[in-house]
Every structure is written in C-alpha cells, then in structure tokens.
Amino acid sequence: MLFKVASASLVGIEAKLIEVEVDVSTGLPGLILVGLPDPSIKESRERVRAALRNCGYDFPRKKVTINLAPADQRKEGSSFDVPIAVGILAHQGVFPSTRISKYLFMGELALDGQLKPVKGVLSAAFLAREENFEGLVIPQGNLEEASLVQGIDIYGLASLSETIEFLRDASKFLPATCCLQKVCLERDYPLDFQEVRGQYQAKRALEIAAAGNHNVLMIGPPGAGKTMLARRLPSILPPMTEEEIIEVTRIYSVAGLLPGGQIVSHRPFRSPHHSVSDAGLIGGGIIPRPGEVSLAHRGVLFLDELSEYKRQVLENLRQPLEDGCVTICRLNSRVTFPSAFMLVAAMNSFEDSYNVYSSSGSYFSQKTRFYSRISKPLLDRIDIQIEVPKITFQDLNSVKRGEHSTAIRERIIAARQIQWQRNGRQNSGGNAKLSGKDIKRYCQLNEEGRRLMKRAMENLNLSARAYIRILKVARTIADLDGDDSPELKPQFLAEAIQYRLLDKPDF
C-alpha cells in the first residue's frame, strides 16, 4: 500500500513541496531511495532503521521503496528522515494513516529516535501556510524560528516517539505562539560609538552613511580605528522591522547559521577574510547557497584591507550593490538571493604601505598602481570615501566621552522618517537607492549649487555616476539637518563633495 507524506526541499531561500511516497511490497528486503537524493538523504535509510529499532518498532522485512516527488528536482539535506519514518510507521498501522495528510513534516533522526534541527524550517513554515496544511511538525530545536510565521500551527517535537503520540492524538499538544513582538522588544547592541575617541569626521561620515544607507570607504594608517568604527556602525542603524527580521532569519535558516534556532534580531555584520572566494562572497555551489553579501542583507558587509581582495571578487560586488540581489544560474536551476546590504570597506593608505612597493618605479607611479587595485566602476559605487587619520595623544587620553549610539540613532531615525514620508516606506534602501526620477525631483540645484558642482566636476574629473552619488549624499545631509526642501543648499553639496577622497587630484 502507498502512503504519501508531505515535506519540503530548499531552492534558494524558497521551500518547494516534496511528496515522500512510501511503498512497502513483497520482494527482497531492503530500502530503495529514488527521486534525485543526495548522499545525506541516501544515508537516511540507516538512520531511520536504527531510530525505529531503538524506539521499539520493527523495520519492515519487505521491499521498501521511497520516492521523493517531483523526481526531476534535486534534493539535499537530512530533513526527510522524519517523513520517511512516518510513512513506514503508517504502513504498520501504528497511528491512523488519515492524519498524516494534514501536516508537513521535517526533521533529522538521531539513532536513538531524537529529532535534530534542520535547515530552512522558516521557509517551510511559509510553504505550509501557503499550501493550507493544518500544521507543521518540526524538531523542537527549530521551534523558535518557525514561530515567526502566523496563521499556521507549529508543533516542535523532541523525538520520534513523541511524533507518534502526536499523530495518535494531536489534542494533547499545544502549538507554538508567535514570538515576533517579544523579539522586537528585546534588542540591544553590545558595542557603542561613545567608546570611540576622536575621529570626529569619520563618525560624522558614518552617521550620514547610516542615515541614507550609503556605502563607505575608510583609508588610513593601521591602528587609526577603522575596524572599531565599522563594528559599531550597526549600533546606530535603525532597528529592524518585523518584516526585516523575518527576511534575515530566513536567509540564516537556509544557510544553517541559527545556533539553537535563535532569531536574528540585530542587523547583521559580516566581515569575510580577504582570501574569500567568489562563491563565498556572492554565493554558489552545486545547489546554490547564500554568500556573505546575502548574509549581510539589511545589515553591514565590512571588507577590511580592501586592496588585498582578489580583483575579480571585488568586481562581483557591482551587481548586488546596484540591484540589491544576486542571481545564480546553474544548468538546471536559477535562484535569487536578496543582498540589500551597506558596504563598509577599509584599507591602509599608500604612505603606510610604501616600503613594500619601493623597489621599482617612481613614487607617483607606485601610488597610482596601488590605488588602481580598486577599479573605478567599483569606487564610483562607494558614495563616501574618507581619510581616517592617526589618533592623537590628546584624543586618546581625553576624559570626555563620545556621543552615545542611542543619540546618534535617534537623529538617523528622524532622517529616515523624512525619507519614508517623501519616497514611500517601500523605499527601504534610503537615499542611496533614489531613482533618476526622484533625483530630479528631490535633488534640485540653484544657480550657486550648479556653479559649485560644475567646478567639482572639472577639478575632480568626476564621472556621471560620482556626480549622482554626491547629490544623493547631499540629500541625506539635508535630511539630517531637517531640511526637506527639494532644493539642495550649497553647504550640503560642499560637504558631500568633501567625501570624494579618491577623486581629489592631490590625494
């Protein structure tokens, strides 16, 4: 007799419905798995066999055929252990078989029958709700992430024996309650801007960047505090909304980076090493998985020692910086991962690396070669480029503490409110993502402003993209100042021009 148990498989960050078809028939004893399973699924036959035996149930001494439908879709992971075991037990009449059609099952089995957490449960919860299942049965360790989804009953169970009891009488078990509002109230960032001494210009630049979601490049000597500043940037960003918490947690769930099933309530901060590969940064694999740019979604991607990264790796950043997403194509699949992040990069200045390059060429040629490691198209996409000087003794030993991150964040939230009211709340990318039509409407220049921008383009040899970036940064500076006028004042433009460090002829 054939039994069908619903489960799910991941394609990108989406979950696709999989029917686990279990057929027990006469023939040589054994378990056959078909339907393009990967090695981790093929090994489930031994996990399921041992779990059934250790829970007091016999494995059928018949021919057991397991088909994962649709058969033309590749599947991976250990989440099919529980639905396979449920299908076999339904054939043995351990519980009423009519009940298995009401639920979607996911979970890995330990040899003693315990249910172990698996990846992608949050996406599976959305799928179960869309497919109108009565509930989702998952390991207890995945309960917190799955409880973010409302409108469906979520049951977190500890073992196969408990799953059997649930299928015998579901009324004994209470579904999980949504914990999203509780998560939004329990948020605190451990690092604070008041711990940073000096570097007032850099802190001002990061405040502007956070207000408009602009990309930043910091150039300065080792020990100036570039990494310290970058790590504190999430503390001044606006708190994540409920939708953003679900988005980010969903990505981390798919990547298997939720320790203990915990929900991601802080804006992510990712800092990959400069030896990272293309797939590690952008995402990839035979079955594509999210890379660092997607793990930094709605947060900060920090690239320290930018000049040490492979040029091709950096060039791959151009699409996600522009589009806010990454599309990965394979022979039989095409998946898209969200990647709306804020890029913060840091590198040593040429003067601090000059001894390495002093063997050949003039000082000017070596300096040009050093900074040309970062391509012009990529630099144009970095709105704010600043110099972070060596900190002075007076600043380091000052008793005066810096401004608290909470105070800075309040100004940034006020500026974001102006942007939401002007552009619509759906423009979560801030001023950095203003369209051409919006720039014409909200970044107008008077006669003095046009003269200023004309001189800047002539003296700095600015590209059209750099010109647009200056207007966007100036718009953010105006929003921080509380000026919602569509006409940008010259002082806002002048400050924005100062943040184009690498365009200056004397740099």
Side-chain angles (χ1 to χ4, degrees), residues 420-486:
W420 288 333
Q421 292 171 6
R422 182 174 60 231
N423 310 324
R425 183 171 288 270
Q426 69 275 9
N427 182 15
S428 58
N431 286 335
K433 298 299 182 183
L434 286 175
S435 66
K437 184 185 297 185
D438 291 334
I439 291 172
K440 290 181 180 179
R441 186 182 303 171
Y442 306 125
C443 302
Q444 300 175 12
L445 301 178
N446 57 24
E447 187 60 34
E448 186 179 356
R450 281 192 289 271
R451 288 198 301 268
L452 178 61
M453 290 303 297
K454 181 181 178 182
R455 290 198 303 271
M457 288 200 70
E458 292 173 350
N459 296 334
L460 302 181
N461 193 27
L462 297 176
S463 67
R465 185 183 287 116
Y467 173 84
I468 295 300
R469 300 284 174 176
I470 290 174
L471 295 182
K472 291 180 178 180
V473 173
R475 179 70 268 165
T476 301
I477 295 171
D479 293 341
L480 279 171
D481 198 55
D483 187 346
D484 194 25
S485 170

Side-chain angles (χ1 to χ4, degrees), residues 27 110 149 216 234-235 457 498 500:
V149 182
V216 183
S235 70
M457 288 200 70
Q498 291 300 311
R500 300 298 302 183

